[in-house]
Each structure stands twice: as structure tokens, then as C-alpha cells.
Amino acid sequence: MKKRRLSAKKQVSSAPAAIPRRPGSSVRTETRKIDSRSSKPVLEVLRTAGQPLSLPQLASLLKMSGKATQARLGKELEALERAGELIRNRRDEYCLRERIGLVVGTVSGHRDGHGFVQPEDRSTPVFLSHRQMQQVMHGDRVSVRITGTDRRGRPEGSIVDVLERTTQDIVGRLYEDSGVYFVVPDNPRISHRIVVPVRQLQGARAGQIVLLKLIEQPGRNVQPLGHVTRILGDHGAPGMETDIAIHAHGLPCEFPEQVLAEAGKFGATVSAAAKRSRLDLRGLPLVTIDGEDARDFDDAVYCEPVRGGWRLLVAIADVGHYVALGSELDAEALERGTSVYFPNRVIPMLPEALSNGLCSLNPKVDRLCMVCEMRVSSSGKITRAEFAEAVMCSAARLTYTEVAAFLTNPGAMNTSQAQALAVPLQNLHAVFKALFIARSERHALEFDSPELKARFDMQGRVAAFVETSRNDAHRLIEECMIAANVQAAKFLKKHKIPTLYRVHGAPEEDRLEKLREFLRSFAITLPLEGPVTPAVLSSVLKRSSGSDEARLIETVVVRSLPQAVYQPENIGHFGLALSEYAHFTSPIRRYPDLLVHRGIRHVLRGGTAADWPEALSNMAALGQQCSTLERRADDATRDAMSWLKCEYMQNRIGDEFDTIVTGVVDFGLFAQVKGMQIDGLIHVSSLGTDYFHRDQSGYRLVGERSGRVFRLGDPLRVRLINVVIDERKIDFELVQARQSSAGMSGKRVFDKSVSRNSFRSRRDGKRRSH
């Protein structure tokens, strides 16, 4: 086979000089958009005056006379109010926010009734008491005044103005009490009870799950009101958990007609014109490797040996060719931000005509792609990388299970397809081993927890939960994708193109101190001085690998780390131990990847940072929006899975389970059922006839009289006693404590094997094989 080196110079000859600017980044950001040219004089006049001014005073100073002119000024002032630049006082005068010390941000509600304002300038979140939260809802945009600090030393505020109401629809369960109907929102971040007038029930009955439209927002002395717009169904109906999660988190689940029409105009096959002037990779046996239930294939790989190492190609679906900047497809993709993968349903970022059709790298059909060719040395170092717009034809759609089986025993797969792909797969495995060596040398954190999958019966109800472990096929694809993502970030950094990096910061000191305290109980220490590096945490994970507590230690280490986010400022990726990292490999399901593709294409077609259409300030807003939408999707899928776990367990009340303690609180223990990742509470009252207190470490409960100790990582036998699906709550009781109190009349019973399970004991000969 003739080897063909990619060339950045060989590009589409008829490419436009620049991509057109998008009119607005999203529906939500468009509502805040103001004309900086017209608003600048207004702000300057207020700054010069040094005092609040009324509309007539501003009109006079701006020399704006006449009703039409003053009407335009009024609209501009309203826009500045919505943007949080101006605040109107009780005398109907306009004040500069910067002069009166207000903080503008988004409300984040807590299930306990309080909340926080996440400032738009990324400063410290401001605590809102339960009383302050009565007048707003989770997601509202507000201005607050700092009034002091709470008992934990956090800044506390009071709401000055609600700038934007973002919650219009609410999903929840309908209740009736003495003739009064109200809905309890499914979203735990919304603590209000929404009253529904009888005439607004639309036939809904108490106990049903309904969708509400708010007709009156909450206020200091006003209870929110709503009317039923849709009856989702009876509580507990199959698929209800997904419907609830979709509406509770405001996920767009239906594509507008104009978006579907735009997606359909490209047809079902790649046109000859679209293939023209692209690098032709159709002669290479690129393959996709995904899970059995995958429907959209956005990455394909190929590898062959060369002198000193390997030639690795990672081809990614060219979504940007179809989703143009400023198009209806683009606006809808940005509003969604990401595809959402529920246990039994997918809410795609793009219409299926693209996500499962023209963009998906389906086998045996031509597809457009962006390809990254890398030269990988025998030690796993990438010595050269190039990008190009290309056309490819996937040789096969393979699954992780098939590839893992082949890598374990190549002779077991004797089909003609397996024989044709045997050499490329072996080459991929070889380059993976080299890349994995480089990963180990830079001490990237290795989290290898099994993934939990829900299995459903013919009626659509959850029948079982199954853990699926990662194999070398998963790791192979992961390393290839990481390598391409790194090169994409370096490419854009080299050409100074504004983009969104995927960044992950180092753990903060307060979280590190909690981690230190936790690890001490397993005879593992963290350095007290100097920064904690990925190498330090990586050694912790390796040291505990294979022990009973390995998964627990991994979970606590993950909790000590901050969330990864998208932002234009590159601070590197702590978990992967990388100085540059961006998401490039999944543009079908992630909007940031699409932005990265646009940046690379811009350079390949001769563009520079000077004529790049996305300003850096806009990238910051896009990064914040994409990070928020990613968290929204995670919260929605987590809620749906929690519902399914409760639904599964409600029919098993009275059953006993083996668990491991995953959390210690003042009122008891949280324990997780082994093999099913189902968490429940063991209330302190069910631990035995004693007074239990959490000690200073925060990771142990100690009996005042008996001296009995419960701590993180302890294996416990429990009995399921209660399930509340609406609240996603599961309650256990300790089997041993119940038997002890019944048979020994409160005598001290302490099985030391229950809590004496430190890492040291396993290291000295009690280590269980994995």
C-alpha cells in the first residue's frame, strides 16, 4: 500500500477567506445582547455625573429630545438593566452597578432550600438564605448585595433585582390537600411548591406527573402559580424517568421544523463536489470501534508501522462541513450543547439525518472527515502531527467486545472480515501499548471503575443493573483520541486561534486536607508541603489497586478534584497530566469539538488569528455556556438513573445486600450495594443501641458506649427497609445491629473484621485478587 503523507497545503482551492460571523451565540445570550456603541455614551454620562440619574436627566445630558428618541433611550436602558450594567433605584433613577457594589450572577439552588449566586465574573459564589430563595428559582439571573458572611465564612447576600427569569416550565407530581392542588417539582434544586388553580388542571389527577407553565413567578410574599400544559402520565409508568428528567432540566427534545429542513437538504450521500480537493483516505482500512448500542460513529482509526514507530491516523466526522456558523443547525446545536445519553433513550445534539446518517462514519460508505495523522515513536512520543480535510470509507463497524476478544486470542475470530483487519488491529494494539507507556511516564491519573448499565424487560421496566469493565479495546480508543485531542490543542495554540480548551485544575487545599485525612486511615500519606502533582495521586491509585477499598479510594480521589470545564485560557489538564488539551474527537455530540474543528479548518484554508471570526470574549461566554450545558446533561442522566435504581429496589424491600460504606454523616452512613452501584442511607438509629458521633476526621462514626467504629470502606450486610422514588431515597438497616439488639439485649457486640480492613492489613497478606 502506498503511504501518503498529509499536507496542510493541499486544501480545498475554492475555500472562502473567512467563515461568516454568527449573529448570536444562543437564544439566552441574545436576550442579554446590547449594542456597545449606543450603550457607551449612557455609561459614560453616568460615570461623569457621579450620581444616579433619571431618564429625563439622561435624555437632557445626551441631548436626546423628542418622544421617538427618548423611547429608543428607554429601550437601551432596559437592555442595560437586563445585562446587569444598570440598576434602577426606588426613585426611578439609574445607577451604575459598579458604583453600588452589586454582584450579578446566576442562582444555583440547593435541595435543602438555600442557594448560591454564581457570579458572572467568576468570583466567589454568594450564599443565599432560604428566605432569599423564596423569591427566585434555580437558574434565575439576579443582582445581589453582599450583606455579610455566613457561619462558614462565605459571602452572604440579599437579592436586589431579578434580571432574568429562566424557569418557565416545571415538571413534577401533582398533589391535592383539602381541595388545594399543587405540584412538587422533580428538580430538587427548586424548593417551591407551585399552586395550580382547579380551573387550570386540564383534567390532571392527583398523583400524576404533569408539565406546568408558570403564570406567576415567586416573590417575597407571592407563591408561584402554574397551569397544566401536559399530562406526562401515571407515576411509575415505563420511560417516565426519562420524560421527567428531560422536562425537569429543560432539555430541548424536539427539533424545530426549520432545523430538520436544513439537515435534510444535504441528502443521504456525500456529493461529488464535497469530496473534491480533499485528501483521499478511501484506500486505507479505517475502522470504527464503539459499544454495541452505539448509533453515531464520529471517530475512526488506522495504524501502520514505519521506521522508528508507527503512523497513526485518527479520522473524525466533518460535522463543520454541514453545520455552518450562523445557521439554524448551529444555533440549535449550541442551545443543546451536547447529546444526552439516557439509559433507554438518546437526545441528540444534531438531527438524526446528520448524527446517525451523513455525519456518522458508517461502514462501506463515503464520508467527509477531518483527519489527524501522527507519527508515534516506539516510546509513545508523538514526533509529528498534521491535519487535513479528507474523505474516507470505513472498512468495518467493530465493537469493543469484538476487538478485545481478537486482541486476547486472534485465532478465535476466523471470519473473512477479521482476517482482513487482523494486521491493522494488531498495529493499533502496538501503538496503544506505546502510548500507554508514555501515559504512565507522565503519571496521568488512571480511573478504571466499571460502567453501570441498566437492562430493561419487554415492558420497558428496568430488570437488572450490570457492571461492564473496561478492556484493552476501550483503552486503545481512549489513547488514540487523547493523542488527537492534544495535537488539536497544540495546533490551535501554535496558530494563536481562539478556541475552547478542556481544562482541569489541580485540587484545592481544603479538599486536599480532607483527602489526606481520609487516606491516613488506609496507611497512605500525602506530602504536607509542596504541590500535590498527578504523580502523587497516581501513586495512591496504584498502591490501592486490587484492594477491597480500591474503588472507594478512587471515588474519594475523584471528589477531591475540581470539575473539568471549557474555557479559552489554557491551564492544562491535571488529571491527564497534559499541558495542552482540547476536545476534537466528538463533534457529532459535543459543541466545543465543533468549535475546535472550525479553528483547524480556518488555518488549513489560509486563515489567521487576525481574521478569525470568534472574538476571545465570545469564546469565554461560549465556554461557560458549554460547561453549564454539559453539567445539565450530567444532572439529567444522573436523575434518570437514580429513579431507575429506586424503581428497581422498591420491589426488593426486605432483601439483604452486601454493601460498602461510601459516606459518613452525622445522622448515619451511606452504603453502596456491591455490583449495582446503588446507594442508600443507614440511619444512625439502626446502627445499634448506642449514641454514635462523627469524629474529627469526618470519616468515622464512633459509638459512645460500645466503642464500635464505622468508617469509609467498611463492608456491611444491610437490609432494604424503604424506598421513596420521588425523592430518590433508599433506606437500609444494619442486619448485624438488628440481630445483636434482639439476641443480646444491648450487650457490646463488635466484629473487628467489619471495620479493621485497612490497606495495610491487605498488604500484609489479606489482599483479595481482582
Side-chain angles (χ1 to χ4, degrees):
M1 182 183 297
K2 186 178 179 181
K3 301 173 186 176
R4 183 173 185 179
R5 183 169 177 264
L6 302 185
S7 173
K9 296 180 180 178
K10 187 183 187 316
Q11 300 302 324
V12 180
S13 58
S14 59
I19 306 171
R21 182 182 299 275
R22 177 175 46 223
S25 60
S26 76
V27 173
R28 182 171 176 180
T29 51
E30 282 177 358
T31 62
R32 303 183 199 168
K33 191 174 179 181
I34 59 175
D35 189 334
S36 60
R37 291 172 298 179
S38 61
S39 64
K40 189 175 180 181
V42 174
L43 299 176
E44 286 179 350
V45 166
L46 282 166
R47 291 189 183 107
T48 302
Q51 65 181 42
L53 298 174
S54 65
L55 192 152
Q57 289 173 320
L58 279 167
S60 176
L61 290 171
L62 289 167
K63 296 181 173 54
M64 300 177 73
S65 59
K67 290 184 179 180
T69 310
Q70 290 192 13
R72 286 199 302 271
L73 176 60
K75 289 181 179 180
E76 182 58 35
L77 290 170
E78 288 177 6
L80 286 166
E81 277 192 89
R82 288 196 302 272
E85 296 289 340
L86 298 181
I87 301 294
R88 198 167 5 170
N89 63 22
R90 294 179 182 179
R91 295 190 298 272
D92 215 26
E93 295 170 331
Y94 293 92
C95 314
L96 289 165
R97 175 176 60 86
E98 62 199 49
R99 296 288 178 88
I100 53 179
L102 298 184
V103 175
V104 173
T106 302
V107 174
S108 176
H110 190 276
R111 64 172 62 244
D112 291 337
H114 62 267
F116 295 88
V117 173
Q118 305 292 340
E120 293 179 353
D121 61 5
R122 304 185 192 180
S123 57
T124 305
V126 180
F127 177 79
L128 294 178
S129 67
H130 184 278
R131 183 177 180 83
Q132 292 295 320
M133 286 295 294
Q134 287 179 343
Q135 55 189 307
V136 292
M137 286 189 174
H138 173 74
D140 286 350
R141 190 163 168 269
V142 299
S143 61
V144 296
R145 178 179 289 108
I146 305 297
T147 57
T149 56
D150 69 356
R151 57 187 178 85
R152 296 187 182 179
R154 300 171 297 193
E156 184 171 358
S158 63
I159 294 171
V160 175
D161 194 13
V162 180
L163 303 174
E164 184 180 354
R165 296 284 191 179
T166 61
T167 301
Q168 303 298 332
D169 300 299
I170 288 179
V171 66
R173 192 173 181 179
L174 182 66
Y175 290 86
E176 185 266 337
D177 185 12
S178 301
V180 177
Y181 288 85
F182 61 93
V183 166
V184 176
D186 184 78
N187 188 344
R189 293 178 180 271
I190 300 176
S191 56
H192 299 80
R193 300 294 180 260
I194 295 89
V195 175
V196 183
V198 175
R199 63 182 182 280
Q200 303 286 6
L201 287 172
Q202 306 299 324
R205 304 187 309 274
Q208 290 185 313
I209 305 298
V210 299
L211 182 64
L212 288 184
K213 175 74 70 176
L214 287 180
I215 54 179
E216 189 162 347
Q217 293 280 352
R220 280 191 177 92
N221 302 304
V222 177
Q223 199 166 6
L225 299 179
H227 69 87
V228 175
T229 58
R230 182 178 171 189
I231 301 171
L232 296 182
D234 293 328
H235 186 269
M240 184 58 65
E241 76 289 337
T242 301
D243 287 336
I244 289 175
I246 287 171
H247 293 291
H249 294 276
L251 298 176
C253 57
E254 295 181 0
F255 287 100
E257 287 298 326
Q258 61 269 30
V259 174
L260 293 174
E262 193 172 280
K265 73 179 183 181
F266 299 105
T269 59
V270 180
S271 67
K275 302 175 191 178
R276 197 171 298 128
S277 299
R278 284 179 174 254
L279 182 66
D280 194 343
L281 300 177
R282 288 174 290 185
L284 295 178
L286 286 144
V287 295
T288 62
I289 305 175
D290 295 274
E292 281 80 359
D293 55 353
R295 297 176 62 192
D296 54 343
F297 313 114
D298 47 17
D299 58 84
V301 289
Y302 169 77
C303 184
E304 64 183 15
V306 295
R307 181 179 298 178
W310 294 271
R311 175 193 181 213
L312 172 64
L313 269 66
V314 175
I316 307 299
D318 191 357
V319 176
H321 177 83
Y322 303 101
V323 183
L325 200 63
S327 65
E328 295 289 345
L329 277 167
D330 182 52
E332 184 68 17
L334 179 55
E335 184 180 349
R336 294 172 179 238
T338 179
S339 295
V340 188
Y341 294 87
F342 290 104
N344 58 353
R345 183 178 172 187
V346 177
I347 308 297
M349 185 179 78
L350 299 171
E352 289 193 11
L354 294 180
S355 61
N356 296 351
L358 204 51
C359 289
S360 184
L361 304 181
N362 299 326
K364 309 300 182 182
V365 290
D366 290 354
R367 289 291 185 258
L368 304 182
C369 64
M370 297 284 285
V371 63
C372 176
E373 180 192 10
M374 293 164 278
R375 292 300 174 92
V376 184
S377 71
S378 57
S379 61
K381 307 297 182 184
I382 299 175
T383 59
R384 188 173 68 213
E386 294 182 74
F387 289 87
E389 296 175 277
V391 57
M392 61 161 286
C393 181
S394 172
R397 177 265 199 268
L398 304 178
T399 68
Y400 292 123
T401 304
E402 291 173 338
V403 174
F406 170 80
L407 297 178
T408 302
N409 182 12
M413 294 179 66
N414 53 13
T415 64
S416 57
Q417 175 176 278
Q419 292 173 355
L421 298 174
V423 173
L425 287 177
Q426 289 168 343
N427 291 336
L428 282 168
H429 197 211
V431 79
F432 152 68
K433 290 178 180 178
L435 290 170
F436 198 79
I437 290 172
R439 178 194 182 105
S440 300
E441 288 178 349
R442 69 174 189 266
H443 302 291
L445 302 185
E446 184 68 20
F447 300 115
D448 224 9
S449 295
E451 181 184 1
L452 189 69
K453 297 250 184 181
R455 305 294 186 207
F456 297 88
D457 60 21
M458 296 298 292
Q459 287 72 43
R461 296 189 180 277
V462 63
F465 288 99
V466 180
E467 288 186 334
T468 58
S469 298
R470 281 158 40 90
N471 53 45
D472 267 4
H474 291 92
R475 299 184 188 98
L476 182 158
I477 290 299
E478 180 182 56
E479 288 305 315
C480 290
M481 297 306 111
I482 289 174
N485 286 337
V486 169
Q487 296 311 310
K490 289 184 174 181
F491 182 87
L492 294 174
K493 181 180 177 181
K494 174 184 176 182
H495 293 281
K496 298 182 174 58
I497 300 297
T499 193
L500 290 182
Y501 294 95
R502 180 65 168 181
V503 302
H504 185 223
E508 297 177 358
E509 187 55 42
D510 59 337
R511 292 190 177 188
L512 277 177
E513 189 52 43
K514 291 181 180 179
L515 180 61
R516 285 191 186 97
E517 187 65 35
F518 166 74
L519 292 175
R520 286 191 192 108
S521 62
F522 297 99
I524 301 175
T525 59
L526 291 180
L528 295 175
E529 296 182 358
V532 172
T533 63
V536 172
L537 295 185
S538 180
S539 67
V540 169
L541 296 175
K542 288 178 182 177
R543 190 177 172 190
S544 63
S545 177
S547 70
D548 290 345
E549 298 87 13
R551 187 184 301 180
L552 175 64
I553 290 174
E554 180 178 306
T555 299
V556 177
V557 169
V558 169
R559 290 175 183 171
S560 72
L561 300 172
Q563 280 189 316
V565 297
Y566 297 105
Q567 65 180 42
E569 301 85 19
N570 177 36
I571 63 170
H573 196 293
F574 180 88
L576 293 174
L578 293 168
S579 56
E580 297 94 8
Y581 194 66
H583 275 168
F584 162 75
T585 54
S586 296
I588 290 178
R589 62 183 180 91
R590 291 188 307 225
Y591 193 82
D593 301 55
L594 181 56
L595 289 175
V596 169
H597 276 234
R598 285 171 176 159
I600 293 172
R601 189 194 314 277
H602 183 71
V603 174
L604 293 179
R605 295 185 176 185
T608 64
D611 57 10
W612 170 241
E614 295 287 356
L616 189 59
S617 59
N618 194 31
M619 276 292 170
L622 287 172
Q624 190 172 20
Q625 182 169 343
C626 289
S627 298
T628 299
L629 294 176
E630 178 188 39
R631 288 192 295 272
R632 180 181 72 173
D634 290 342
D635 289 344
T637 53
R638 190 181 303 114
D639 281 357
M641 184 62 90
S642 296
W643 176 290
L644 290 173
K645 289 177 180 178
C646 290
E647 182 182 277
Y648 176 75
M649 295 293 277
Q650 71 176 350
N651 296 322
R652 304 191 64 177
I653 290 178
D655 289 359
E656 295 182 5
F657 301 91
D658 288 318
T659 67
I660 185 170
V661 177
T662 56
V664 178
V665 291
D666 292 330
F667 49 85
L669 306 168
F670 284 101
Q672 185 176 98
V673 178
K674 293 181 179 180
M676 290 192 286
Q677 299 179 25
I678 296 176
D679 293 278
L681 173 69
I682 308 172
H683 194 267
V684 67
S685 61
S686 74
L687 295 178
T689 53
D690 201 348
Y691 293 105
F692 285 89
H693 305 282
R694 188 162 57 149
D695 69 1
Q696 291 182 350
S697 73
Y699 294 108
R700 304 195 310 167
L701 277 184
V702 182
E704 186 178 293
R705 180 182 57 80
S706 66
R708 183 166 189 179
V709 177
F710 295 93
R711 67 178 182 182
L712 282 177
D714 281 353
L716 299 176
R717 184 73 175 173
V718 303
R719 182 179 292 105
L720 178 65
I721 59 174
N722 190 37
V723 176
V724 183
I725 294 182
D726 287 341
E727 299 180 20
R728 317 294 197 272
K729 289 182 178 179
I730 294 173
D731 293 315
F732 297 127
E733 67 176 1
L734 191 63
V735 171
Q736 183 183 7
R738 182 171 178 175
Q739 293 172 343
S740 300
S741 60
M744 310 234 3
S745 301
K747 291 183 180 179
R748 176 176 177 178
V749 178
F750 180 25
D751 180 2
K752 293 183 179 180
S753 66
V754 170
S755 62
R756 191 170 293 170
N757 62 347
S758 69
F759 174 78
R760 179 180 295 173
S761 66
R762 251 165 313 281
R763 186 183 59 188
D764 293 339
K766 298 180 182 179
R767 186 166 181 160
R768 185 195 303 177
S769 62
H770 210 260

